[in-house]
Amino acid sequence: MPLYRDEAVVLRTHKLGEADRIITLLTRQHGRVRAVAKGVRRTTSRWGSRLEPFTHVDLQLAEGRSLDVITQAETLDPFHARLGLDYDRYTAGTVMLETAERLVTEEKEPAVQQFLLLVGGLRAMSGGEHPAKQVLDSYLLRSLSVAGYAPSFDHCVQCGVEGPHRFFNPSAGGVLCASDRMPGSATPASETVLVLGALLVGDWPVVHAADPRHLREASNLVSAYLAWHLERGLRSMAYVERG
């Protein structure tokens, strides 16, 4: 079987037979890959902790007919070791993993930007410099943008008139002017719209200076925007405190 090397983030795992696991990966060069880790569930396995969700790994894989086979694994960054110590960061990180898997839909199709964004997001989440909720919201907005769903927070998405605008609608793709307001649009505070724009571009001084109520409102709008574009909710989002 042909061999190839790649770096990856482990998205999730599930059991296969008595001792194996199927590992779902987001790789740098090969996009989403499902591969078998043979014997990984045995207590004598050298790979157990290297193939846990969140782990950034360097892999050698053998191409298979339906599933590839992991033949070597070296840890590059054990994000799970740090995230596992903090419930808020762990649950927010789980949403990031599920989002990445949902947005990268085709197996073996390169998704370099999504991979780099996920690694950077997990590094920020485990680093503790920024609050977990804000790291998650920033990651969600950026990953949706990379997937082609970039929101507009400064221009009306219908007519292009520069804001600030009072109305926000996930189905429209961002803010709307009064003339183009759609039924069911939210009316966030102007400060909330500024927070959303700051989260999208990573302007952390603006995010850190924001009032908690505007951060909460922004977080709820990010969740609505994500749910609209994914068409169904994320299972992991139920464990994240959004209030």
Side-chain angles (χ1 to χ4, degrees), residues 152 155-161 171-177 179-182:
S152 173
H155 292 77
C156 174
V157 292
Q158 295 284 27
C159 67
V161 170
S171 65
V175 295
L176 296 160
C177 67
S179 299
D180 290 317
R181 178 186 181 183
M182 296 172 59

Side-chain angles (χ1 to χ4, degrees), residues 122-189:
L122 292 174
R123 186 170 293 123
M125 187 67 76
S126 62
E129 183 179 354
H130 310 298
K133 292 177 188 176
Q134 278 77 71
V135 173
L136 174 60
D137 289 335
S138 181
Y139 169 78
L140 294 176
L141 289 174
R142 294 188 197 191
S143 61
L144 285 164
S145 296
V146 169
Y149 308 120
S152 173
F153 299 123
D154 50 12
H155 292 77
C156 174
V157 292
Q158 295 284 27
C159 67
V161 170
E162 187 173 357
H165 297 301
R166 292 186 54 207
F167 307 106
F168 177 85
N169 194 297
S171 65
V175 295
L176 296 160
C177 67
S179 299
D180 290 317
R181 178 186 181 183
M182 296 172 59
S185 295
T187 54

Side-chain angles (χ1 to χ4, degrees), residues 17-30:
E18 295 185 356
D20 305 339
R21 286 190 190 276
I22 295 177
I23 314 294
T24 302
L25 306 155
L26 180 59
T27 70
R28 184 184 185 112
Q29 302 297 337
H30 296 83

